[in-house]
Amino acid sequence: MQLMTIQHGDQPCNEPCGVCGEALLQAAGPGLFTAETNQPVCRSCGRAEAPHLVALLDLARAAERVGKVCRHILVPPMGALLDLARAAEDYSTSRPKSLQHAA
Ligand SMILES: [Zn+2]
């Protein structure tokens, strides 16, 4: 099992996945990287090695989308709220067992 980190990239990253070596185009913003070599990690390797970090990235992206949509309106659209709720539920069920008891 590789240690992984979440890092924020200012520009898109076009390097192979640090775990499987597949070509990977990672968008700017938060992404998953190997802790040791600092290479980007594809979603499927991230889900296999660190599902809680992938769920956290999904939650952050959903929150960013909802924040952008809701910036100029009073009531958020139901679809945006459901996306955020789904991402939050995925994160809460994907956390490592050691962190689930802390909540
Ligand atoms: Zn990979």
XYZ file of all heavy atoms in Angstrom:
757
model
N 0.841 -1.188 0.000
C 0.000 0.000 0.000
C 0.884 1.248 0.000
O 1.790 1.378 0.805
C -0.903 0.000 1.223
C -1.815 1.183 1.298
S -2.929 1.018 2.701
C -4.150 2.188 2.259
N 0.614 2.133 -0.948
C 1.391 3.366 -1.057
C 0.735 4.468 -0.243
O -0.488 4.564 -0.188
C 1.447 3.805 -2.514
C 2.328 2.941 -3.355
C 2.853 3.725 -4.542
O 2.835 4.946 -4.550
N 3.320 3.021 -5.538
N 1.559 5.305 0.336
C 1.040 6.491 0.999
C 0.726 7.522 -0.074
O 1.484 7.689 -1.026
C 2.051 7.052 1.977
C 2.294 6.217 3.222
C 3.374 6.867 4.079
C 1.018 6.069 4.020
N -0.390 8.200 0.090
C -0.811 9.198 -0.895
C -1.166 10.498 -0.203
O -1.531 10.503 0.968
C -2.003 8.679 -1.687
C -1.652 7.440 -2.462
S -2.875 7.008 -3.654
C -2.164 5.465 -4.222
N -1.044 11.569 -0.981
C -1.377 12.889 -0.454
C -2.327 13.587 -1.419
O -2.395 13.242 -2.595
C -0.117 13.764 -0.291
O 0.471 13.972 -1.585
C 0.891 13.113 0.632
N -3.027 14.566 -0.905
C -3.829 15.455 -1.744
C -3.042 16.744 -1.896
O -2.613 17.327 -0.904
C -5.204 15.734 -1.115
C -6.032 14.456 -1.104
C -5.930 16.841 -1.880
C -7.373 14.604 -0.420
N -2.848 17.150 -3.138
C -2.143 18.401 -3.419
C -2.984 19.235 -4.379
O -3.779 18.698 -5.146
C -0.781 18.129 -4.054
C 0.152 17.355 -3.157
C 1.480 17.092 -3.841
O 1.896 17.807 -4.741
N 2.153 16.045 -3.409
N -2.786 20.514 -4.326
C -3.492 21.420 -5.224
C -2.552 21.839 -6.350
O -1.494 22.407 -6.100
C -3.975 22.655 -4.468
C -4.870 23.513 -5.290
N -4.403 24.457 -6.168
C -6.212 23.537 -5.409
C -5.418 25.036 -6.766
N -6.527 24.504 -6.326
N -2.955 21.520 -7.594
C -2.169 21.913 -8.753
C -2.761 23.149 -9.389
O -3.967 23.228 -9.601
N -1.903 24.113 -9.694
C -2.376 25.341 -10.335
C -2.644 25.156 -11.820
O -3.385 25.924 -12.423
C -1.351 26.465 -10.153
C -1.251 26.881 -8.695
O -2.243 26.731 -7.970
O -0.171 27.340 -8.296
N -2.014 24.110 -12.414
C -2.175 23.843 -13.840
C -2.487 22.361 -14.040
O -2.153 21.538 -13.182
C -0.893 24.199 -14.585
C -0.535 25.653 -14.485
C 0.745 25.955 -15.241
O 1.386 25.072 -15.784
N 1.106 27.224 -15.283
N -3.102 22.008 -15.183
C -3.330 20.590 -15.465
C -2.009 19.832 -15.501
O -0.973 20.385 -15.874
C -3.994 20.588 -16.845
C -4.508 21.962 -17.040
C -3.625 22.875 -16.235
N -2.048 18.573 -15.111
C -0.846 17.739 -15.039
C -0.991 16.596 -16.043
O -2.016 15.919 -16.068
C -0.723 17.202 -13.613
S 0.665 16.130 -13.341
N 0.024 16.413 -16.903
C -0.029 15.374 -17.927
C 1.138 14.405 -17.737
O 2.051 14.356 -18.546
C 0.004 16.020 -19.319
C -0.284 15.032 -20.414
O -0.692 13.908 -20.154
N -0.068 15.433 -21.647
N 1.116 13.658 -16.654
C 2.152 12.675 -16.342
C 1.487 11.324 -16.158
O 0.299 11.244 -15.862
C 2.869 13.049 -15.040
C 3.690 14.308 -15.118
C 4.399 14.581 -13.794
O 4.732 13.628 -13.082
O 4.579 15.759 -13.489
N 2.244 10.243 -16.324
C 1.651 8.921 -16.080
C 1.334 8.734 -14.597
O 1.961 9.341 -13.729
C 2.730 7.946 -16.556
C 3.993 8.724 -16.579
C 3.625 10.158 -16.780
N 0.372 7.858 -14.342
C -0.008 7.532 -12.965
C 1.212 6.953 -12.244
O 1.914 6.096 -12.782
C -1.159 6.540 -12.972
S -1.563 5.860 -11.347
N 1.450 7.399 -11.035
C 2.579 6.942 -10.253
C 2.440 5.535 -9.723
O 3.397 4.966 -9.202
N 1.271 4.920 -9.880
C 1.045 3.557 -9.385
C 1.014 2.565 -10.546
O 1.774 1.608 -10.572
C -0.254 3.470 -8.553
C -0.504 2.047 -8.097
C -0.192 4.424 -7.366
N 0.157 2.803 -11.555
C -0.012 1.834 -12.645
C 0.730 2.234 -13.922
O 0.892 1.411 -14.817
C -1.492 1.627 -12.952
S -2.311 3.051 -13.684
N 1.144 3.481 -14.049
C 1.883 3.927 -15.213
C 1.027 4.318 -16.407
O 1.556 4.689 -17.455
N -0.298 4.243 -16.278
C -1.190 4.631 -17.377
C -1.119 6.142 -17.599
O -0.872 6.903 -16.660
C -2.636 4.240 -17.054
C -2.875 2.752 -17.044
C -2.855 2.140 -18.438
O -3.374 2.774 -19.374
O -2.296 1.039 -18.570
N -1.346 6.547 -18.857
C -1.387 7.981 -19.163
C -2.493 8.637 -18.354
O -3.564 8.060 -18.158
C -1.628 8.184 -20.652
N -2.219 9.831 -17.897
C -3.166 10.505 -16.998
C -3.132 11.997 -17.275
O -2.058 12.604 -17.339
C -2.765 10.215 -15.540
C -3.504 10.947 -14.440
C -4.979 10.543 -14.443
C -2.885 10.629 -13.099
N -4.291 12.587 -17.455
C -4.412 14.038 -17.557
C -5.220 14.498 -16.358
O -6.417 14.236 -16.262
C -5.098 14.459 -18.856
C -5.326 15.958 -19.012
C -3.995 16.712 -18.964
C -6.048 16.260 -20.299
N -4.537 15.119 -15.408
C -5.191 15.572 -14.186
C -5.482 17.063 -14.304
O -4.588 17.850 -14.614
C -4.287 15.281 -12.987
C -5.014 15.277 -11.670
C -4.170 14.656 -10.573
O -3.002 14.981 -10.425
N -4.754 13.751 -9.833
N -6.721 17.437 -14.077
C -7.126 18.833 -14.179
C -6.479 19.657 -13.075
O -6.019 19.117 -12.061
C -8.648 18.934 -14.082
N -6.451 20.967 -13.276
C -5.959 21.852 -12.221
C -6.884 21.735 -11.020
O -8.058 21.412 -11.149
C -5.921 23.288 -12.730
N -6.337 21.983 -9.849
C -7.115 21.871 -8.623
C -6.596 20.733 -7.777
O -5.509 20.211 -8.012
N -7.376 20.319 -6.785
C -6.894 19.262 -5.892
C -6.813 17.923 -6.611
O -7.661 17.600 -7.439
C -7.943 19.228 -4.775
C -9.151 19.882 -5.330
C -8.691 20.824 -6.394
N -5.769 17.176 -6.305
C -5.580 15.865 -6.919
C -4.802 14.957 -5.987
O -4.251 15.380 -4.976
N -4.768 13.680 -6.355
C -4.098 12.666 -5.550
C -2.693 12.423 -6.091
O -2.514 12.286 -7.305
C -4.926 11.387 -5.604
C -4.726 10.351 -4.524
C -4.975 10.941 -3.143
C -5.658 9.181 -4.758
N -1.709 12.349 -5.197
C -0.309 12.152 -5.576
C 0.323 11.122 -4.654
O -0.100 10.971 -3.506
C 0.476 13.469 -5.462
C 0.060 14.498 -6.478
C -1.057 15.289 -6.267
C 0.778 14.663 -7.645
C -1.452 16.238 -7.201
C 0.401 15.612 -8.587
C -0.720 16.393 -8.367
N 1.356 10.434 -5.171
C 2.095 9.525 -4.307
C 2.929 10.367 -3.346
O 3.476 11.403 -3.721
C 3.026 8.614 -5.115
O 3.942 9.419 -5.857
C 2.246 7.723 -6.069
N 2.997 9.911 -2.101
C 3.747 10.670 -1.095
C 5.242 10.576 -1.342
O 5.977 11.530 -1.103
C 3.402 10.158 0.302
N 5.684 9.424 -1.838
C 7.122 9.202 -1.973
C 7.712 9.886 -3.201
O 8.734 10.568 -3.107
C 7.376 7.705 -2.044
C 8.808 7.311 -1.778
C 8.947 5.820 -1.629
O 8.311 5.264 -0.712
O 9.651 5.224 -2.446
N 7.065 9.720 -4.374
C 7.638 10.247 -5.615
C 6.921 11.498 -6.120
O 7.338 12.081 -7.120
C 7.603 9.181 -6.724
O 6.239 8.806 -6.957
C 8.430 7.977 -6.338
N 5.836 11.868 -5.481
C 5.080 13.071 -5.836
C 4.533 13.017 -7.259
O 4.469 14.022 -7.949
C 5.946 14.311 -5.642
C 5.110 15.530 -5.361
O 4.028 15.413 -4.802
N 5.592 16.684 -5.758
N 4.139 11.816 -7.720
C 3.539 11.654 -9.046
C 2.024 11.610 -8.902
O 1.504 11.126 -7.882
C 4.016 10.356 -9.685
C 5.478 10.372 -10.097
C 5.872 9.049 -10.713
O 5.983 8.066 -9.996
N 6.054 9.044 -12.012
N 1.292 12.070 -9.925
C -0.169 12.004 -9.845
C -0.644 10.554 -9.855
O 0.048 9.660 -10.334
C -0.627 12.747 -11.113
C 0.531 12.674 -12.036
C 1.761 12.627 -11.197
N -1.829 10.333 -9.306
C -2.405 8.990 -9.213
C -3.769 9.004 -9.896
O -4.573 9.918 -9.662
C -2.544 8.559 -7.739
C -3.228 7.211 -7.624
C -1.183 8.526 -7.060
N -4.025 7.995 -10.744
C -5.315 7.937 -11.443
C -6.424 7.556 -10.455
O -6.177 7.058 -9.361
C -5.257 6.952 -12.607
S -5.202 5.221 -12.158
N -7.659 7.774 -10.891
C -8.802 7.542 -10.021
C -8.927 6.068 -9.617
O -9.210 5.765 -8.463
C -10.068 8.024 -10.726
C -11.294 7.920 -9.857
C -12.498 8.559 -10.507
N -13.662 8.366 -9.683
C -13.989 9.132 -8.672
N -13.247 10.167 -8.363
N -15.059 8.881 -7.955
N -8.698 5.158 -10.563
C -8.887 3.747 -10.221
C -7.823 3.276 -9.225
O -8.130 2.517 -8.306
C -8.905 2.877 -11.473
O -7.681 2.954 -12.135
N -6.586 3.711 -9.388
C -5.559 3.353 -8.399
C -5.860 4.025 -7.059
O -5.669 3.419 -6.003
C -4.175 3.767 -8.888
S -3.561 2.755 -10.250
N -6.335 5.260 -7.095
C -6.691 5.959 -5.860
C -7.813 5.251 -5.122
O -7.769 5.099 -3.902
N -8.805 4.773 -5.878
C -9.921 4.065 -5.231
C -9.453 2.747 -4.625
O -9.975 2.308 -3.609
C -11.055 3.841 -6.218
C -11.785 5.132 -6.559
C -13.005 4.869 -7.408
N -14.046 4.176 -6.686
C -14.965 4.767 -5.927
N -14.956 6.068 -5.820
N -15.881 4.066 -5.312
N -8.452 2.120 -5.241
C -7.946 0.854 -4.708
C -7.042 1.069 -3.498
O -7.072 0.287 -2.552
C -7.190 0.103 -5.804
N -6.230 2.128 -3.536
C -5.219 2.333 -2.488
C -5.679 3.265 -1.365
O -5.274 3.078 -0.221
C -3.942 2.918 -3.119
C -3.291 2.037 -4.160
C -2.429 0.950 -3.548
O -1.919 1.138 -2.438
O -2.265 -0.093 -4.194
N -6.456 4.269 -1.696
C -6.868 5.267 -0.698
C -8.284 5.766 -1.022
O -8.465 6.919 -1.408
C -5.878 6.422 -0.668
N -9.289 4.902 -0.872
C -10.657 5.302 -1.243
C -11.180 6.495 -0.445
O -11.968 7.285 -0.969
C -11.486 4.038 -0.973
C -10.663 3.199 -0.067
C -9.232 3.538 -0.348
N -10.714 6.653 0.791
C -11.178 7.787 1.592
C -10.657 9.115 1.037
O -11.352 10.128 1.103
C -10.779 7.604 3.053
C -9.306 7.472 3.272
N -8.572 6.380 2.839
C -8.417 8.295 3.847
C -7.314 6.545 3.157
N -7.183 7.692 3.765
N -9.461 9.114 0.455
C -8.938 10.355 -0.131
C -9.650 10.686 -1.439
O -9.909 11.856 -1.731
C -7.425 10.247 -0.353
C -6.577 10.161 0.918
C -5.100 10.083 0.560
C -6.844 11.341 1.839
N -9.983 9.670 -2.238
C -10.752 9.902 -3.467
C -12.138 10.443 -3.108
O -12.629 11.380 -3.738
C -10.855 8.603 -4.297
C -11.783 8.794 -5.480
C -9.477 8.185 -4.781
N -12.754 9.875 -2.070
C -14.068 10.370 -1.642
C -13.972 11.801 -1.133
O -14.868 12.619 -1.367
C -14.642 9.451 -0.563
N -12.880 12.123 -0.461
C -12.684 13.497 0.013
C -12.504 14.460 -1.160
O -13.053 15.573 -1.152
C -11.472 13.566 0.951
C -11.188 14.909 1.601
C -12.385 15.386 2.419
C -9.945 14.822 2.475
N -11.779 14.033 -2.192
C -11.637 14.861 -3.399
C -12.993 15.059 -4.072
O -13.315 16.166 -4.523
C -10.652 14.217 -4.374
C -9.182 14.336 -4.015
C -8.346 13.462 -4.939
C -8.729 15.781 -4.098
N -13.786 13.994 -4.156
C -15.120 14.107 -4.752
C -15.987 15.077 -3.956
O -16.743 15.872 -4.528
C -15.802 12.737 -4.817
C -15.149 11.819 -5.829
O -14.375 12.287 -6.690
O -15.426 10.595 -5.763
N -15.873 15.007 -2.631
C -16.641 15.919 -1.774
C -16.203 17.366 -1.991
O -17.037 18.270 -2.097
C -16.475 15.508 -0.304
C -17.209 16.356 0.729
C -18.706 16.380 0.445
C -16.936 15.820 2.128
N -14.919 17.578 -2.100
C -14.413 18.937 -2.338
C -14.890 19.469 -3.689
O -15.297 20.628 -3.804
C -12.882 18.942 -2.273
N -14.856 18.614 -4.717
C -15.302 19.042 -6.050
C -16.805 19.330 -6.058
O -17.260 20.288 -6.682
C -14.944 17.986 -7.094
C -13.446 17.911 -7.325
C -13.086 16.831 -8.318
N -11.631 16.723 -8.411
C -10.966 15.590 -8.326
N -11.601 14.446 -8.185
N -9.662 15.579 -8.399
N -17.584 18.496 -5.364
C -19.033 18.729 -5.289
C -19.305 20.039 -4.555
O -20.159 20.829 -4.980
C -19.726 17.557 -4.586
N -18.577 20.274 -3.478
C -18.769 21.528 -2.731
C -18.392 22.734 -3.581
O -19.067 23.772 -3.543
C -17.933 21.490 -1.453
N -17.339 22.599 -4.382
C -16.933 23.698 -5.255
C -18.008 23.981 -6.305
O -18.341 25.134 -6.562
C -15.605 23.350 -5.925
C -15.036 24.501 -6.732
C -13.663 24.178 -7.307
O -13.195 23.028 -7.166
O -13.069 25.072 -7.907
N -18.560 22.897 -6.908
C -19.631 23.075 -7.901
C -20.844 23.751 -7.280
O -21.404 24.693 -7.841
C -20.056 21.730 -8.487
C -19.190 21.221 -9.600
C -19.862 20.070 -10.349
N -20.383 19.031 -9.483
C -19.677 18.001 -9.030
N -18.426 17.867 -9.355
N -20.237 17.103 -8.244
N -21.267 23.285 -6.101
C -22.436 23.863 -5.438
C -22.155 25.317 -5.073
O -23.020 26.177 -5.231
C -22.814 23.030 -4.189
C -23.877 23.741 -3.360
C -23.301 21.658 -4.611
N -20.938 25.584 -4.609
C -20.589 26.959 -4.258
C -20.664 27.894 -5.446
O -21.157 29.015 -5.340
N -20.208 27.420 -6.612
C -20.263 28.253 -7.815
C -21.701 28.478 -8.262
O -22.084 29.583 -8.638
C -19.468 27.600 -8.947
C -17.983 27.729 -8.786
C -17.251 27.062 -9.924
C -15.754 27.144 -9.719
N -15.018 26.393 -10.745
N -22.509 27.405 -8.232
C -23.901 27.496 -8.668
C -24.699 28.412 -7.735
O -25.524 29.204 -8.176
C -24.551 26.090 -8.721
C -26.057 26.175 -8.854
C -23.955 25.276 -9.858
N -24.418 28.315 -6.461
C -25.238 29.000 -5.465
C -24.727 30.387 -5.097
O -25.309 31.038 -4.228
C -25.333 28.152 -4.203
S -26.047 26.542 -4.518
N -23.665 30.821 -5.734
C -23.071 32.098 -5.373
C -24.051 33.258 -5.554
O -24.079 34.184 -4.755
C -21.828 32.331 -6.216
C -21.062 33.576 -5.817
C -19.723 33.635 -6.476
N -18.918 32.526 -5.982
C -17.902 31.979 -6.641
N -17.570 32.440 -7.815
N -17.233 30.991 -6.130
N -24.892 33.196 -6.571
C -25.761 34.324 -6.875
C -27.237 34.000 -6.749
O -28.076 34.762 -7.216
C -25.459 34.842 -8.283
C -24.035 35.244 -8.456
N -23.484 36.328 -7.815
C -23.030 34.685 -9.157
C -22.203 36.433 -8.133
N -21.900 35.436 -8.947
N -27.563 32.889 -6.139
C -28.971 32.561 -5.945
C -29.229 32.305 -4.474
O -28.319 31.975 -3.708
C -29.399 31.335 -6.790
C -28.566 30.115 -6.442
C -29.325 31.658 -8.265
C -29.018 28.856 -7.151
N -30.474 32.463 -4.067
C -30.825 32.315 -2.653
C -31.024 30.858 -2.265
O -30.557 30.413 -1.216
C -32.105 33.117 -2.370
C -32.535 33.213 -0.926
C -31.432 33.857 -0.083
C -33.814 34.009 -0.805
N -31.689 30.080 -3.132
C -31.992 28.686 -2.819
C -31.248 27.797 -3.807
O -31.461 27.888 -5.010
C -33.513 28.422 -2.913
C -33.824 26.967 -2.602
C -34.271 29.355 -1.985
N -30.369 26.931 -3.295
C -29.617 26.037 -4.196
C -30.548 25.066 -4.915
O -31.559 24.631 -4.352
C -28.689 25.270 -3.249
C -28.748 25.964 -1.957
C -30.013 26.745 -1.899
N -30.220 24.707 -6.152
C -31.025 23.715 -6.860
C -30.955 22.359 -6.158
O -29.930 21.995 -5.580
C -30.382 23.628 -8.237
C -29.403 24.736 -8.321
C -29.132 25.221 -6.953
N -32.052 21.611 -6.206
C -32.120 20.318 -5.530
C -31.040 19.365 -6.047
O -30.444 18.620 -5.263
C -33.502 19.705 -5.723
C -33.689 18.392 -5.003
S -33.463 18.528 -3.214
C -34.987 19.272 -2.747
N -30.765 19.392 -7.349
C -29.751 18.504 -7.909
C -28.373 18.772 -7.309
O -27.620 17.842 -7.016
N -28.048 20.050 -7.101
C -26.750 20.403 -6.520
C -26.671 19.913 -5.076
O -25.639 19.392 -4.636
C -26.537 21.916 -6.587
N -27.770 20.065 -4.339
C -27.775 19.597 -2.945
C -27.675 18.082 -2.868
O -27.003 17.538 -1.986
C -29.040 20.085 -2.236
C -29.120 21.592 -2.037
C -30.451 21.967 -1.393
C -27.959 22.090 -1.197
N -28.328 17.393 -3.795
C -28.253 15.925 -3.805
C -26.845 15.456 -4.152
O -26.350 14.485 -3.571
C -29.274 15.346 -4.778
C -30.734 15.474 -4.341
C -31.664 15.004 -5.445
C -30.995 14.705 -3.067
N -26.179 16.145 -5.096
C -24.794 15.801 -5.426
C -23.892 15.967 -4.204
O -23.052 15.115 -3.914
C -24.264 16.689 -6.554
C -24.848 16.323 -7.903
O -25.451 15.243 -8.022
O -24.699 17.146 -8.828
N -24.084 17.051 -3.484
C -23.275 17.304 -2.295
C -23.562 16.264 -1.214
O -22.642 15.739 -0.576
C -23.545 18.722 -1.777
C -22.677 19.207 -0.638
C -21.200 19.141 -0.997
C -23.069 20.622 -0.253
N -24.831 15.938 -1.017
C -25.195 14.933 -0.007
C -24.624 13.562 -0.364
O -24.133 12.831 0.502
C -26.721 14.858 0.124
N -24.666 13.211 -1.639
C -24.134 11.919 -2.087
C -22.618 11.860 -1.864
O -22.099 10.862 -1.363
C -24.456 11.704 -3.567
C -24.103 10.319 -4.078
C -24.529 10.101 -5.527
N -25.913 10.502 -5.784
C -26.263 11.528 -6.563
N -25.365 12.243 -7.187
N -27.531 11.821 -6.737
N -21.923 12.940 -2.191
C -20.466 12.973 -1.996
C -20.129 12.902 -0.506
O -19.181 12.226 -0.105
C -19.873 14.235 -2.623
N -20.923 13.574 0.324
C -20.682 13.526 1.775
C -20.926 12.120 2.316
O -20.161 11.626 3.150
C -21.579 14.537 2.482
N -21.949 11.460 1.832
C -22.233 10.097 2.280
C -21.122 9.142 1.829
O -20.673 8.294 2.605
C -23.574 9.624 1.732
C -23.944 8.251 2.229
C -25.311 7.818 1.721
O -26.108 8.679 1.317
O -25.561 6.612 1.740
N -20.659 9.294 0.583
C -19.553 8.456 0.102
C -18.314 8.643 0.970
O -17.633 7.683 1.315
C -19.205 8.788 -1.355
C -20.254 8.286 -2.324
O -21.114 7.480 -1.919
O -20.210 8.728 -3.490
N -18.037 9.891 1.340
C -16.863 10.148 2.174
C -17.035 9.530 3.560
O -16.125 8.885 4.077
C -16.598 11.646 2.298
C -15.490 11.942 3.272
C -14.180 11.575 2.991
C -15.751 12.550 4.494
C -13.161 11.797 3.894
C -14.735 12.781 5.401
C -13.458 12.406 5.099
O -12.448 12.629 5.998
N -18.205 9.703 4.141
C -18.400 9.197 5.505
C -18.347 7.673 5.571
O -17.979 7.116 6.597
C -19.712 9.713 6.094
O -20.799 9.138 5.421
N -18.679 7.002 4.477
C -18.631 5.538 4.494
C -17.295 4.994 3.995
O -17.059 3.797 4.107
C -19.763 4.939 3.640
O -19.656 5.432 2.305
C -21.117 5.286 4.226
N -16.429 5.850 3.460
C -15.159 5.363 2.931
C -13.985 5.654 3.845
O -12.876 5.238 3.559
C -14.874 5.980 1.562
O -14.593 7.346 1.707
N -14.219 6.342 4.944
C -13.115 6.677 5.839
C -12.544 5.411 6.464
O -13.271 4.447 6.704
C -13.588 7.614 6.951
C -13.924 8.975 6.417
C -14.214 9.940 7.509
N -15.237 9.413 8.416
C -15.543 9.961 9.572
N -14.914 11.014 9.993
N -16.475 9.443 10.327
N -11.248 5.419 6.747
C -10.659 4.258 7.414
C -11.350 4.002 8.753
O -11.833 4.937 9.398
C -9.204 4.672 7.634
C -8.954 5.768 6.675
C -10.274 6.451 6.462
N -11.395 2.756 9.170
C -12.068 2.381 10.413
C -11.540 3.181 11.605
O -12.297 3.526 12.490
C -11.875 0.885 10.679
C -12.478 0.005 9.634
C -13.909 -0.325 9.964
C -14.469 -1.310 8.965
N -15.645 -0.844 8.307
N -10.251 3.487 11.600
C -9.675 4.200 12.738
C -10.259 5.612 12.870
O -10.315 6.164 13.960
C -8.161 4.290 12.596
O -7.814 4.951 11.404
N -10.702 6.207 11.757
C -11.272 7.549 11.807
C -12.775 7.538 12.022
O -13.346 8.533 12.423
C -10.948 8.310 10.519
C -9.476 8.590 10.258
C -9.297 9.280 8.927
C -8.897 9.438 11.373
N -13.439 6.426 11.756
C -14.900 6.388 11.893
C -15.322 6.464 13.345
O -16.382 6.954 13.652
C -15.455 5.119 11.252
C -15.391 5.173 9.746
C -16.009 3.963 9.081
O -16.518 3.089 9.751
N -15.920 3.911 7.774
N -14.495 6.011 14.270
C -14.862 6.056 15.689
C -14.682 7.448 16.276
O -15.233 7.751 17.311
C -14.040 5.053 16.482
C -14.303 3.638 16.062
N -15.521 3.018 16.264
C -13.542 2.744 15.421
C -15.480 1.799 15.775
N -14.288 1.606 15.244
N -13.909 8.297 15.600
C -13.654 9.642 16.120
C -14.848 10.546 15.944
O -14.987 11.538 16.644
C -12.447 10.259 15.409
N -15.759 10.237 15.022
C -16.910 11.116 14.770
C -18.026 10.893 15.768
O -18.155 9.930 16.410
C -17.434 10.885 13.375
Zn -3.166 4.307 -11.882
